[in-house]
Amino acid sequence: MSKRILECLVLASLSAGPLWAGSDPFVGKWKLDTAHSHFTDQMRVESDGANQYRFSFDGTNVETIVADGTEQPGLSGTNLSVSVEDTHTWKVVRKKNGRMLLTATWKLSRDGRTLRDTFTSFQPDGSPATVNNVYERTAGTSGFPGTWEDTHSKFASAFEIQIQPYRGNGLSFVTPAQGTTRNVEFDGNDHANGIAPGLTTSGRRVNEHTLALKDKTNGKLDDTREISLSRDGKTLTITVHQRGRTHPSVLVFARE
């Protein structure tokens, strides 16, 4: 439901000498190819008493909400509301400072195995972008409580990453839309990546066109990634295996 872009753009590699600093083939500007990219999205819903539920949309953080349609405090200064329209339909709304961030209508199949999510996010100017997702149950037995996974979620819009040299043989990964810069050193060890306290990245350079890495939070593995560059240097593919997901996410970027 939350459709966070996984922060899938964090790369790391093993030191390969000063040559990489000036001629690293990964350096440049890259734009997401939405037609050829997809991500595995997962959400968990747990019953927590009469009409109260625990929601996790990122695999880590949990929001406890009474499903009565009222706005209640959520993560990152947002307000979250959940309305039970009938036994097979829920509506979810998230706002911040009175501004609509997203709406989602969940439809549960009669056999309880499939959840269809009509998800609309809103840009700062109020313009909407709607995607239709289909989740399959991977845990739980009936109703909305359970673990749900969509293995072919599409990105609502393209975004850009910029890869720049860092400290001689390192790389910086800049995501302008998110306002983040991730700095990576290539010695195969866990290093703070500059995004937030407790987040580290380690990795190795498999060959000139392939990187392998691991991301951790407070020492606990979050995901492993393979980043491959096409032979002509025009296409960058990131395959992300996230902890707790049964299928990987695949992001394809075209060089600008």
Side-chain angles (χ1 to χ4, degrees):
M1 175 202 138
S2 58
K3 309 306 174 206
R4 53 201 57 55
I5 308 218
L6 313 167
E7 277 206 331
C8 299
L9 318 174
V10 191
L11 313 180
S13 54
L14 186 64
S15 174
L19 171 64
W20 296 112
S23 60
D24 193 310
F26 293 92
V27 169
K29 292 184 178 181
W30 301 89
K31 187 173 183 179
L32 184 72
D33 180 349
T34 57
H36 294 93
S37 301
H38 69 267
F39 64 94
T40 296
D41 191 42
Q42 186 187 82
M43 60 184 181
R44 296 197 311 271
V45 182
E46 300 175 347
S47 179
D48 193 40
N51 207 34
Q52 182 167 282
Y53 298 89
R54 290 163 51 86
F55 297 88
S56 178
F57 301 119
D58 63 0
T60 302
N61 296 296
V62 175
E63 297 167 287
T64 301
I65 301 294
V66 177
D68 61 1
T70 63
E71 295 184 11
Q72 298 162 56
L75 296 172
S76 303
T78 66
N79 287 323
L80 184 65
S81 67
V82 178
S83 304
V84 178
E85 298 190 349
D86 57 51
T87 56
H88 290 85
T89 309
W90 284 11
K91 185 172 183 180
V92 180
V93 176
R94 191 183 296 277
K95 297 180 181 179
K96 187 170 185 178
N97 298 326
R99 184 176 74 83
M100 187 77 73
L101 297 181
L102 64 88
T103 65
T105 299
W106 295 355
K107 291 281 188 179
L108 187 67
S109 64
R110 292 296 175 182
D111 62 10
R113 297 178 181 177
T114 303
L115 189 156
R116 296 182 181 275
D117 173 19
T118 302
F119 177 88
T120 302
S121 59
F122 296 88
Q123 300 301 315
D125 64 2
S127 58
T130 299
V131 292
N132 295 300
N133 304 292
V134 180
Y135 292 84
E136 301 295 331
R137 185 188 295 278
T138 61
T141 57
S142 63
F144 284 93
T147 301
W148 300 93
E149 196 166 283
D150 180 359
T151 60
H152 288 88
S153 292
K154 289 292 187 179
F155 293 93
S157 59
F159 59 91
E160 181 187 81
I161 61 172
Q162 300 171 8
I163 304 178
Q164 304 168 355
Y166 174 71
R167 288 187 177 176
N169 64 354
L171 290 173
S172 289
F173 301 88
V174 182
T175 310
Q178 296 177 355
T180 60
T181 298
R182 185 183 301 255
N183 300 317
V184 182
E185 297 182 54
F186 302 153
D187 59 4
N189 298 318
D190 292 338
H191 288 281
N193 54 38
I195 298 297
L199 300 184
T200 62
T201 301
S202 66
R204 61 190 178 89
R205 195 180 293 271
V206 179
N207 54 49
E208 185 179 359
H209 293 89
T210 308
L211 307 174
L213 63 91
K214 296 180 181 179
D215 289 332
K216 298 179 182 179
T217 299
N218 297 322
K220 186 175 183 179
L221 182 67
D222 290 327
D223 57 63
T224 61
R225 307 162 189 250
E226 180 181 280
I227 302 93
S228 60
L229 190 67
S230 63
R231 290 297 175 182
D232 63 7
K234 296 180 179 180
T235 303
L236 184 74
T237 302
I238 304 177
T239 304
V240 185
H241 294 266
Q242 288 183 278
R243 176 171 51 86
R245 267 66 163 174
T246 58
H247 295 82
S249 300
V250 178
L251 293 88
V252 179
F253 292 84
R255 188 184 293 276
E256 292 189 282

